[in-house]
Amino acid sequence: MDDTRELLQTHFGYHDFRFPQADIIQHVMSGRHAMVIMPTGMGKSLCYQIPALALSMTEDPAPIVLVLSPLVALMQDQVDALVKRGIDATFINSSLDRASRLERQEQITAGHFRILYVTPERFRKPEFCAVINQRRVALLAIDEAHCVSQWGHDFRPDYSRVGVIRERLGNPTTIALTATATARCREDIRAQLAIDETDMKLFHQGIDRPNLSLEVIHVMDDDEKWDAIVRQLNDQSLFQNSGSAIVYFSLIQTLIRFSDRLRAAGIDHHCYHGDLRREERRQTLRAFMNDDVDTVLATPAFGMGVDKSDIRLVMHAETPGSIESYYQEIGRAGRDGQPSRCVWLYDQADLMTQMQFIEWANPDASFYDRVIHELTVHPERSAAFGIDSLRQRVQKVSPHDHRLETALAMLDRHGVIAGPTPPDCFEVVGDIPAQLRDDTILGLKTREDQRRLYALVELAATQSEDMQPFLNDYFLA
């Protein structure tokens, strides 16, 4: 492992690996599959980045490490960070124009790049499949692997294609990485990857973060939340020298309301949420990473893939949707190993919001029937007036109601429609499968989401000193 340690020091500036990074790297470089469960910020990415560098020194032409990631908005930042370290990496996704995609694909064919980031959706493109077949994929890395499983907290239907993708690539050595996966989720990830349990070694580092203090503050209304937020942000004992804070909200309207109040009180901060333009979100991210702003009020999308070491405070001003989401978000605090605080403002009224989110994330059989009815009986109307018109006809109009997007993704996954997005989603090419007409089967996912929310209620009822043991039992059982 001397060569890999030399690569670690040359490109990343570290003298040695954290446990169990060296064992994982050695394992996958010997051609064996791995599932890595490691706390956020503890160096999961190195487990495929170092092999990419090492393998490129042993073969000519050099093989490529292919990273499947859902984080389209952050791929540019991830690749920029690698390039600055002298690592030949790139990405191909929908943010690129056609000319840029073609140029990068030509470079891949010519043998350039050691690491390539793509989304699973990229394998829908025949031109990309033809290009990637020109290179040997030495290692397939599945980032945020919990997205593969319907029992994970952030299931992405296109991620369920990973087994087919592996087969197209010749079943390369595969490493699945996530910070949050229960035993049921881990088993499903292996099944979706079509890898036998005996052929995929589990590296589970545990979830303890001793430098994080966990606290639940029970509140009754916005005024009590306001007092708690201001008190934490003004706590000089927490921000003695430097440090940043993230305050998470579930609802954009609540975030904006508290932002207005903080600005009126002279408390400087930036906001990050889905109603902002992409460039505004990128500017906030850059300002946060460059220490130009200390505090960000954000929805849960902020923070994924952000590697900032000195976040001293993570607050949940509204109850998150699951223990998995909560753990992933607090994992952004204290990556430098210094004491950091995680405060959750628990208001029982927030549970109704999350219950509504669960309903809006899980279409029932009648919803699928309505969608298919519109697509088959009124195909011209759907194609002419688009997704927004279809949404008006089949569901409640709410920015948080994602049933149509979920239904289209699942219908595409089962070959019912030609694709998940316009114009392909308006073309019915197959029959709806029995499982999408059966509320008993569909209800399994709904009940699992409800179970995770109930576990969060149980966590809120524990004493601060018992929260970490509760989380250990939840994830390790």
Side-chain angles (χ1 to χ4, degrees), residues 170-271:
N171 296 312
T173 303
T174 300
I175 180 171
L177 311 104
T178 181
T180 51
T182 61
R184 187 179 192 183
C185 181
R186 296 195 300 269
E187 291 168 7
D188 195 31
I189 292 170
R190 275 193 294 264
Q192 296 292 344
L193 289 168
I195 298 174
D196 190 86
E197 183 176 359
T198 57
D199 294 330
M200 191 171 209
K201 184 173 181 178
L202 175 65
F203 292 88
H204 202 314
Q205 192 187 4
I207 64 168
D208 277 341
R209 295 285 305 281
N211 63 309
L212 303 186
S213 67
L214 311 184
E215 182 182 3
V216 177
I217 299 176
H218 291 259
V219 296
M220 296 293 291
D221 54 32
D222 278 2
D223 286 339
E224 290 189 9
K225 283 186 179 181
W226 165 259
D227 291 340
I229 290 171
V230 172
R231 185 167 61 252
Q232 296 292 330
L233 292 178
N234 288 333
D235 187 348
Q236 294 303 311
S237 67
L238 186 61
F239 304 98
Q240 288 182 1
N241 299 312
S242 63
S244 305
I246 305 175
V247 184
Y248 281 112
F249 293 83
S250 301
L251 296 171
I252 295 174
Q253 63 192 35
T254 311
L255 184 158
I256 293 172
R257 189 166 68 247
F258 275 85
S259 174
D260 291 343
R261 200 167 174 180
L262 286 169
R263 293 195 195 287
I267 298 176
D268 187 38
H269 65 279
H270 281 199
C271 295

Side-chain angles (χ1 to χ4, degrees), residues 18-20 36-39 42-43 203-208 476:
R18 288 173 172 165
F19 179 81
V36 177
I37 314 296
M38 189 180 290
M42 293 295 103
F203 292 88
H204 202 314
Q205 192 187 4
I207 64 168
D208 277 341
L476 300 179

Side-chain angles (χ1 to χ4, degrees), residues 250 319-322 350-359 453:
S250 301
T319 292
S322 67
D350 292 341
L351 296 177
M352 295 304 297
T353 298
Q354 294 299 337
M355 289 295 289
Q356 190 76 77
F357 284 176
I358 289 172
E359 177 188 341
L453 183 60

Side-chain angles (χ1 to χ4, degrees), residues 74 83-84 90 135 175 181 217 219-220 275 279 282 318 333 349 362 380 384 444 456:
L74 296 173
V83 171
K84 286 180 181 178
T90 194
R135 294 286 294 277
I175 180 171
I217 299 176
V219 296
M220 296 293 291
D275 283 354
E279 184 54 34
R282 288 185 63 83
E318 293 182 284
N362 293 285
E380 295 86 0
L444 294 175
L456 200 62

Side-chain angles (χ1 to χ4, degrees), residues 115-148:
I115 302 176
L116 171 63
Y117 289 82
V118 298
T119 63
E121 293 89 338
R122 188 54 36 189
F123 282 85
R124 296 175 180 274
K125 308 296 183 182
E127 64 179 27
F128 174 77
C129 293
V131 166
I132 201 66
N133 286 340
Q134 302 301 310
R135 294 286 294 277
R136 186 175 85 83
V137 177
L139 180 63
L140 175 64
I142 314 295
D143 199 15
E144 307 293 346
H146 55 272
C147 296
V148 170

